[in-house]
Amino acid sequence: MRKRTLGAAAVSGLACVAITAGMASAGNDLQLSDVPTANPKAAGLTTPNRLSPELMDVARAQGSMPLENPRDGVGYYGYDSVDNNPTLMPTTSAGATTPTEAHKTEPDKNTYLVLKGQRGPDASYDYGEHFLFQGHESGTPGYVSRVNLDADAAHRVTLMATKDSGGKALPNFDGSTWDPFARKLLFTSEDGCDGGVWQGDATYSPDSVLDDISGALGRGGYEGVQTASDGSIWLVEDVGGAKAGDKGKAKAANSYVYRFVPQHKNDLTNGKLQALQVLRGDGTPMNTKAEPFGDDLKQLHTYGTSFSTKWVTIHDTATDGDSPFCATTAAAGANATAFKRPENGVFRPGRDFREFYFTETGDTNTESPANQQYGGWGGVFRLSQSSPSADRGKLAVSFLGDKEHTGLDNVSFATEDQLMVVEDAGDTLHSQRNALDSGYAYDVDDAKPKPTRFLAEGRDPSATMDSAMMDAGTPGFTNDGDNEITGIHVSDGNPSVRGLFGRSVPTPFEEGWRVFWTQQHGDNVTYEILPNE
């Protein structure tokens, strides 16, 4: 048994470098130069990722990396395939090309933890102390993987769970986080009223399973999930709304922001689920769901406006029991405020969990009539409260999207003031604006921020082929075209309550703070961002 040191693993086909000193900074600001343009989308064009010149990235795992313990039809980090069956790429035989390939499982949001004494399927191997946990957004079954950052290629990715405690196959997962009070990993599924929250241990076991806790937290299109200092769980939902406007190119607001207040911090099976309600100036609830071109949505998406909020309880296990229920339906029935596909949210570090920022994806269509005034471009909102337990607060827009900055999805603070937010614009919008996705950083204290592009995502060869097959309507084709940025994550991996995500101000590349992101679809590569020195 030989210890593998951080950043020095011999990973087949993947370059690794050591983490060194941090980049220059001024106060709380990262000194990042703007990448001037996004990468274009063109048929047959594969392009590399471009980062700010102060940055570089290194692949830590990719979709074709074999799992050390394949089972249940999952044999690779990012494919539903075992031993290349089905094949990971289209094959040619006897002069004919078979335009089929294994289904890609799309590793999603990253959760980084530093844990001692972890084991895996190989009882004789030292797996180190640095791990990335991820759910996977697509495929059957859903599953949880652990990237062992200190390990060699043979032990780099461990399959953690494919079933729940009742023996059912897990759903596809989008969000993840670590709850230090319950000492559990939390995973979210955005499958509408069949979605919800599952919890499980970070410790490997051959028969590891996850527990479905949707009887307390509800079933909804949950993606973003964060734990606050009072033990409450904050959830951000992504549910597409009914078509609206010219030829249905806009979508009605149909998603909600939630807070689960457990009876006890270390037990998430009992408590109250609440939904956010935004109030007009006269104290009445906004009616954003029923009026996709109404004044409420217009005012909500205007710089300089601020609105009072309150949390409304939509389910309490003490009185309503613990049978699973649809949170989306309950929130609508309680006149909670609907948003246009919010996806992820984080607490601003160094502010005692008094500021919560969440993204809004919008309509992801340049032809949406809601783009200019009614939230079609999406953006980022800031919810301010006196404490995470407060029942009332204030909501204001932090950043309004536009054609160049839209489809905003995953989000993470790089410093106390600098927010990193990445796009998931989708194939249609990629074609409409001839631009692939980008990652941006902006100062949340600016009244009208001007984001810096730190990442212009390219398109790998696998995604380029997938895009062509999808555009051609290839029968039986199941994978998404183009790549997507997901899993932007800045963390020191501290699993204790003191290290609660959002408590300490990050110092990227110093004092154990690391930065990760995943290039979803295509080759499904998870990268670590490092200083380019």
Side-chain angles (χ1 to χ4, degrees):
M1 180 169 65
R2 182 165 61 90
K3 177 82 171 183
R4 268 64 176 177
T5 58
L6 177 61
V11 182
S12 176
L14 302 180
C16 292
V17 300
I19 296 176
T20 56
M23 67 173 62
S25 62
N28 277 323
D29 296 331
L30 289 177
Q31 300 297 293
L32 298 179
S33 301
D34 188 57
V35 180
T37 61
N39 277 315
K41 174 180 178 175
L45 178 64
T46 176
T47 53
N49 301 320
R50 293 181 293 135
L51 287 89
S52 297
E54 298 84 3
L55 302 174
M56 61 176 289
D57 56 20
V58 57
R60 295 303 188 196
Q62 71 177 49
S64 59
M65 182 168 282
L67 298 175
E68 63 168 335
N69 56 331
R71 67 174 184 270
D72 297 332
V74 183
Y76 298 86
Y77 176 55
Y79 289 91
D80 282 337
S81 174
V82 177
D83 295 331
N84 199 34
N85 182 25
T87 57
L88 304 192
M89 295 286 289
T91 57
T92 299
S93 178
T97 299
T98 302
T100 58
E101 59 187 12
H103 186 82
K104 299 177 181 181
T105 63
E106 303 174 14
D108 207 306
K109 191 174 178 183
N110 295 299
T111 294
Y112 172 58
L113 292 174
V114 179
L115 300 168
K116 298 182 182 297
Q118 298 301 297
R119 291 291 180 256
D122 186 345
S124 66
Y125 188 79
D126 184 346
Y127 285 83
E129 298 179 357
H130 304 88
F131 305 94
L132 272 183
F133 294 88
Q134 296 158 323
H136 291 248
E137 190 179 0
S138 186
T140 303
Y143 63 97
V144 173
S145 59
R146 186 186 75 187
V147 179
N148 308 309
L149 295 167
D150 300 341
D152 60 18
H155 301 86
R156 175 52 60 114
V157 185
T158 303
L159 180 61
M160 295 292 287
T162 62
K163 296 180 180 180
D164 68 16
S165 53
K168 294 176 56 178
L170 292 175
N172 300 146
F173 291 129
D174 299 271
S176 66
T177 196
W178 170 251
D179 181 2
F181 299 105
R183 301 289 297 179
K184 296 288 186 180
L185 286 161
L186 304 181
F187 296 94
T188 56
S189 171
E190 63 175 344
D191 192 17
C193 290
D194 292 321
V197 182
W198 281 252
Q199 69 175 9
D201 296 327
T203 302
Y204 170 80
S205 170
D207 54 357
S208 292
V209 294
L210 300 186
D211 294 319
D212 181 355
I213 54 175
S214 301
L217 282 79
R219 296 206 179 280
Y222 299 150
E223 181 167 349
V225 54
Q226 291 293 306
T227 305
S229 56
D230 63 349
S232 60
I233 308 297
W234 292 49
L235 296 159
V236 181
E237 181 178 50
D238 175 16
V239 177
K243 294 180 178 179
D246 181 32
K247 298 180 181 179
K249 294 173 182 175
K251 296 179 182 178
N254 193 40
S255 305
Y256 300 90
V257 176
Y258 303 87
R259 180 179 71 178
F260 177 72
V261 182
Q263 290 183 8
H264 304 285
K265 291 181 181 181
N266 62 352
D267 179 8
L268 301 182
T269 60
N270 289 284
K272 297 178 181 179
L273 183 68
Q274 301 175 321
L276 187 68
Q277 187 180 80
V278 185
L279 306 176
R280 304 186 183 104
D282 63 3
T284 58
M286 283 189 164
N287 189 12
T288 53
K289 181 179 176 67
E291 299 177 4
F293 301 97
D295 191 60
D296 287 342
L297 268 178
K298 182 178 179 180
Q299 291 298 314
L300 200 61
H301 294 88
T302 301
Y303 279 124
T305 58
S306 178
F307 302 92
S308 296
T309 64
K310 69 177 182 180
W311 292 99
V312 292
T313 298
I314 60 174
H315 187 272
D316 186 347
T317 56
T319 56
D320 302 319
D322 58 2
S323 296
F325 62 97
C326 183
T328 312
T329 302
N335 291 321
T337 299
F339 295 88
K340 294 177 72 72
R341 293 184 58 206
E343 296 209 33
N344 281 280
V346 289
F347 288 97
R348 185 177 182 179
R351 297 300 174 100
D352 293 327
F353 295 84
R354 297 193 304 263
E355 292 184 23
F356 183 73
Y357 289 74
F358 62 91
T359 55
E360 188 182 47
T361 297
D363 292 334
T364 59
N365 190 324
T366 63
E367 299 176 2
S368 168
N371 284 341
Q372 301 307 318
Q373 294 181 308
Y374 303 101
W377 292 128
V380 182
F381 286 95
R382 177 180 61 250
L383 176 61
S384 303
Q385 299 186 170
S386 60
S387 76
S389 304
D391 289 330
R392 293 182 178 269
K394 291 285 187 179
L395 184 76
V397 66
S398 174
F399 173 71
L400 286 173
D402 52 33
K403 183 178 179 179
E404 187 180 26
H405 317 83
T406 190
L408 303 180
D409 191 333
N410 278 215
V411 62
S412 188
F413 272 93
T415 67
E416 183 175 358
D417 304 326
Q418 297 284 311
L419 186 67
M420 304 178 91
V421 58
V422 299
E423 292 180 313
D424 173 16
D427 294 334
T428 297
L429 189 55
H430 291 162
S431 298
Q432 289 175 332
R433 65 181 186 179
N434 188 30
L436 301 175
D437 290 336
S438 291
Y440 299 95
Y442 77 89
D443 190 327
V444 297
D445 288 329
D446 288 349
K448 293 184 178 180
K450 294 183 178 179
T452 296
R453 180 186 285 111
F454 71 88
L455 168 62
E457 186 182 39
R459 187 168 65 171
D460 61 43
S462 178
T464 304
M465 294 177 61
D466 289 349
S467 182
M469 287 192 286
M470 188 179 71
D471 290 345
T474 303
F477 186 72
T478 64
N479 293 320
D480 282 334
D482 295 337
N483 290 118
E484 170 194 333
I485 306 172
T486 189
I488 187 69
H489 186 54
V490 183
S491 173
D492 66 352
N494 187 337
S496 72
V497 171
R498 182 174 296 179
L500 183 65
F501 190 65
R503 186 185 297 279
S504 299
V505 175
T507 54
F509 320 122
E510 297 178 348
E511 299 176 338
W513 288 87
R514 302 175 73 171
V515 184
F516 300 93
W517 72 283
T518 296
Q519 187 167 19
Q520 205 178 47
H521 314 316
D523 287 339
N524 281 308
V525 181
T526 292
Y527 291 97
E528 180 171 1
I529 295 178
L530 303 170
N532 187 17
E533 297 184 336

